[in-house]
């Protein structure tokens, strides 16, 4: 709701307002007064009446409201509301709930109650609201300090920065860095994956204060937003200013599969998803010579059991040979995990860059383009892909036994790691060759691309 009233309420005390005062203003906001139709008592709808007549019915009663049929657009409804000594008119919608903007209400009365609170506070304290985010408490008293203890226990191992290299005709690289093995521990370094908050509109029961600006969150419903991963509560306008420092709370992460990759690794304080680490370690322990590894499917019921085990037990899930003798079940669970990520390992926004890179005819330029695209991946995605490609490179060393070369693995993992942003069967079909080639090249040149 916004008011076009020129009769702005006094803001002489605005500079003195504090977060307690915003709560007090909500208590002082005008109460809704329903104006029923004179021809039919208790009926809220007034039919098609002129604006001037609606003004007469609402005059002198701050908070009074009625519903009329629009004269400009017959068949639609208008909410007429008295506020600031004038009548405000809003197009009223209904889709099972009543609304004029983003918020949806069970009744028109609740809608008007919330509107009056919003209009009153945002008019009475306009200057204060405009300035209340300029000196946030976030880094001093809010969410950051609450996480201080958690941050102390975060994983000390993290990925090193990806190397920027130059490809030459003999496939050597100009970088002096020594090749790292994907399964070796990386140097001691604090894990520093950034993660944006997953804010969703939330209705708070009882008084709540914003954990960014420390001010009261006003309104009847949907007063602000809450991060569904860490529980941070802030005003909607403040959510745009909060840093990308979400530290997911394990109590809020309901499952392992189908969970955002960065969210999962930050919640569990790991460098990569546990599913990737545990499945690859199990496969390298007993499955590298298995014919058709990753191509041959395990029983879907048993793969589903593995998924449920990870969702239920996390890193304590038992995927040993005593539980699942067929290594194809473990390989199938790994592929299912990667396929079900809400954001693929090769993210939606970088999909086209990788596809276009694969289409470059010159081999050196093609590798350069793929390498540049890899550098743009989110850190957790990059580290997961690096670890996986090093593993698949080792799988190809057993090609004589498992019959899986880089091209075959590219066919299997192309559509698993890369998915177009929009579900389009034709696009997917047309891109299959490039998807396969991207993965094939990452396997073959794993030592220089990562």
């Amino acid at each position: 709701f916004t008011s076009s009233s020129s009769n702005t309420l006094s803001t002489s005390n605005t500079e003195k307002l504090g977060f307690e005062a915003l709560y007090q203003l909500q208590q002082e906001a005008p109460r809704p007064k329903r104006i029923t139709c004179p021809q039919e008592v208790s009926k809220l709808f007034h039919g098609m009446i002129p604006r001037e007549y609606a003004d007469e019915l609402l005059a002198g009663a701050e908070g009074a409201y009625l519903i009329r049929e629009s004269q400009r657009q017959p068949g639609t409804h208008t909410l007429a509301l008295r506020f600031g000594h004038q009548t405000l008119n809003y197009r009223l919608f209904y889709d099972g709930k009543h609304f004029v903007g983003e918020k949806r209400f069970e009744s028109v009365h609740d809608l008007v109650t919330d509107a009056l609170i919003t209009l009153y506070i945002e008019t009475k304290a306009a200057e204060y609201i405009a300035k209340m985010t300029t000196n946030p408490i976030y880094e001093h008293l809010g969410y950051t300090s609450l996480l201080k203890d958690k941050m102390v226990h975060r994983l000390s191992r993290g990925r090193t920065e990806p190397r920027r290299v130059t490809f030459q005709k003999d496939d050597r690289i100009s970088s002096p860095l020594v090749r790292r093995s994907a399964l070796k521990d990386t140097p001691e370094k604090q894990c520093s994956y950034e993660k944006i908050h997953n804010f969703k509109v939330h209705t708070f029961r009882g008084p709540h204060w914003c954990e960014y600006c420390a001010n009261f969150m006003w309104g009847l419903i949907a007063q602000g937003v809450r991060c569904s991963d860490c529980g941070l509560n802030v005003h909607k306008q403040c959510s745009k200013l909060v840093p990308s420092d979400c530290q997911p709370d394990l109590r809020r992460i309901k499952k392992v599969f189908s969970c955002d990759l960065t969210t999962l690794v930050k919640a569990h304080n790991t460098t990569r998803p546990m599913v990737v680490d545990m499945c690859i370690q199990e496969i390298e322990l007993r499955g590298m010579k298995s014919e058709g590894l990753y191509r041959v499917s395990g029983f879907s019921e048993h793969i589903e059991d593995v998924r449920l085990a990870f969702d239920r037990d996390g890193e304590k899930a038992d995927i040993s040979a005593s539980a699942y003798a067929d290594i194809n079940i473990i390989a199938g669970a790994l592929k299912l995990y990667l396929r079900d990520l809400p954001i693929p390992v090769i993210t939606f926004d970088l999909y086209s860059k990788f596809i276009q890179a694969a289409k470059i005819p010159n081999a050196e330029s093609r590798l350069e383009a793929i390498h540049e695209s890899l550098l743009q991946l989110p850190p957790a995605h990059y580290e997961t892909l690096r670890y996986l490609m090093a593993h698949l490179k080792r799988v190809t060393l057993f090609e004589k036994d498992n019959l899986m070369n880089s091209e075959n693995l590219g066919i299997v993992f192309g559509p698993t790691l890369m998915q177009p942003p929009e579900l389009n069967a034709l696009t997917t079909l047309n891109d299959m060759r490039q998807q396969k080639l991207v993965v094939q090249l990452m396997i073959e040149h794993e030592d220089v691309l990562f």
Side-chain angles (χ1 to χ4, degrees):
F1 281 93
T2 56
S3 172
S4 59
S5 173
S6 58
N7 300 319
T8 305
L9 295 175
S10 172
T11 57
S12 58
N13 295 323
T14 295
E15 296 297 332
K16 300 179 181 179
L17 287 173
F19 56 83
E20 297 94 345
L22 292 177
Y23 175 70
Q24 185 61 37
L25 286 177
Q26 174 160 307
Q27 301 303 103
E28 297 172 1
R31 298 293 184 264
K33 304 176 183 66
R34 184 175 62 179
I35 304 301
T36 57
C37 179
Q39 282 75 33
E40 191 170 337
V41 179
S42 79
K43 184 177 179 182
L44 181 60
F45 182 59
H46 286 248
M48 187 179 291
I49 60 174
R51 283 194 175 202
E52 295 75 17
Y53 182 48
D55 287 342
E56 292 179 17
L57 293 175
L58 300 175
E62 194 78 348
Y65 72 96
L66 59 81
I67 298 174
R68 61 181 178 82
E69 184 175 357
S70 173
Q71 288 185 305
R72 297 178 180 177
Q73 294 179 294
T76 64
H77 296 94
T78 297
L79 170 66
L81 171 64
R82 193 72 178 180
F83 178 81
H85 308 295
Q86 69 173 351
T87 300
L88 308 176
N89 294 281
Y90 301 97
R91 175 83 175 273
L92 184 63
F93 300 90
Y94 181 78
D95 63 355
K97 291 187 177 181
H98 306 275
F99 64 99
V100 298
E102 293 181 354
K103 295 185 181 183
R104 280 156 167 74
F105 300 82
E106 296 292 342
S107 69
V108 174
H109 191 81
D110 286 347
L111 185 155
V112 174
T113 301
D114 186 83
L116 289 169
I117 291 172
T118 301
L119 290 168
Y120 187 76
I121 290 179
E122 293 185 357
T123 303
K124 189 78 172 178
E127 294 177 26
Y128 180 78
I129 292 172
K131 297 177 181 179
M132 70 184 187
T133 60
T134 57
N135 187 28
I137 63 154
Y138 183 77
E139 295 183 359
H140 308 291
L141 304 173
Y143 171 75
T144 300
S145 63
L146 294 176
L147 286 178
K148 194 169 292 182
D149 291 337
K150 294 182 181 179
M151 298 295 283
V152 171
H153 299 292
R154 288 182 61 181
L155 186 71
S156 61
R157 293 184 306 164
R159 79 170 177 109
T160 54
E161 288 300 310
R163 296 171 298 160
R164 185 176 297 276
V165 301
T166 301
F167 292 87
Q168 301 169 346
K169 290 184 178 180
D170 58 359
D171 283 339
R172 295 176 185 173
I173 57 175
S174 60
S175 170
L177 296 180
V178 179
R179 176 190 172 189
R180 301 183 304 271
S181 171
L183 286 177
K184 287 182 180 178
D185 288 346
T186 52
E188 291 296 317
K189 183 180 179 181
Q190 184 177 2
C191 182
S192 59
Y193 294 165
E194 284 192 354
K195 180 190 177 312
I196 62 174
H197 291 272
N198 185 19
F199 287 120
K200 295 182 179 178
V201 175
H202 189 78
T203 294
F204 299 93
R205 304 300 177 189
H208 268 73
W209 280 262
C210 175
E211 293 177 56
Y212 181 80
C213 71
N215 285 289
F216 177 64
M217 301 169 76
W218 58 88
L220 188 65
I221 69 167
Q223 302 95 330
V225 294
R226 168 177 287 175
C227 177
S228 59
D229 294 333
C230 71
L232 180 67
N233 303 318
V234 296
H235 290 113
K236 184 177 180 181
Q237 60 267 41
C238 289
S239 68
K240 301 173 185 178
L241 305 174
V242 176
S244 299
D245 61 354
C246 176
Q247 180 63 33
D249 188 336
L250 271 176
R251 292 172 297 180
R252 297 179 178 274
I253 308 300
K254 305 299 183 184
K255 54 187 177 180
V256 172
F257 277 60
S258 301
C259 177
D260 173 70
L261 196 156
T262 302
T263 299
L264 186 69
V265 298
K266 284 187 69 87
H268 288 271
N269 288 332
T270 57
T271 308
R272 296 170 298 273
M274 69 186 74
V275 180
V276 175
D277 278 11
M278 291 175 64
C279 286
I280 286 179
Q281 289 166 9
E282 192 67 26
I283 291 167
E284 296 209 350
L285 179 66
R286 60 186 174 95
M288 297 295 272
K289 294 184 178 181
S290 177
E291 183 176 333
L293 181 64
Y294 289 117
R295 179 177 55 80
V296 176
S297 300
F299 287 110
S300 59
E301 295 85 354
H302 294 165
I303 292 174
E304 179 66 14
D305 286 343
V306 174
R307 182 186 71 80
L308 293 173
F310 275 114
D311 283 345
R312 181 183 64 248
D313 304 324
E315 60 187 10
K316 295 181 180 180
D318 183 7
I319 59 172
S320 64
S322 60
Y324 302 98
D326 183 5
I327 197 63
N328 293 313
I329 294 171
I330 308 305
L334 175 59
K335 290 189 296 180
L336 176 63
Y337 170 77
L338 296 171
R339 188 168 56 247
D340 281 0
L341 286 171
I343 301 176
V345 176
I346 292 178
T347 56
F348 290 126
D349 57 340
L350 291 175
Y351 177 85
S352 61
K353 287 183 179 291
F354 279 91
I355 293 298
Q356 292 306 313
K359 293 179 179 179
I360 297 174
N362 181 271
E364 297 168 24
S365 299
R366 185 167 57 222
L367 285 179
E368 285 279 7
I370 291 175
H371 178 66
E372 289 298 319
S373 299
L374 287 171
L375 295 177
Q376 298 177 51
L377 285 172
H381 288 245
Y382 176 94
E383 176 58 27
T384 299
L385 191 59
R386 181 188 74 84
Y387 188 85
L388 178 63
M389 291 302 110
H391 162 66
L392 295 181
K393 182 69 171 284
R394 287 189 288 277
V395 169
T396 64
L397 299 179
F398 295 86
E399 180 186 351
K400 183 178 178 180
D401 299 296
N402 59 37
L403 306 181
M404 296 300 290
N405 57 26
S406 60
E407 183 177 4
N408 293 335
L409 291 169
I411 293 172
V412 172
F413 279 93
T416 300
L417 299 173
M418 303 177 64
Q419 299 170 28
E422 298 179 1
L423 294 177
N424 185 303
L426 184 60
T427 300
T428 302
L429 186 64
N430 291 337
D431 292 347
M432 284 183 65
R433 181 177 178 278
Q434 284 75 36
Q435 291 175 348
K436 182 265 294 182
L437 184 58
V438 167
V439 176
Q440 179 182 343
L441 291 173
M442 287 193 296
I443 295 172
E444 292 173 354
H445 301 278
E446 168 269 333
D447 54 343
V448 293
L449 282 172
F450 293 92

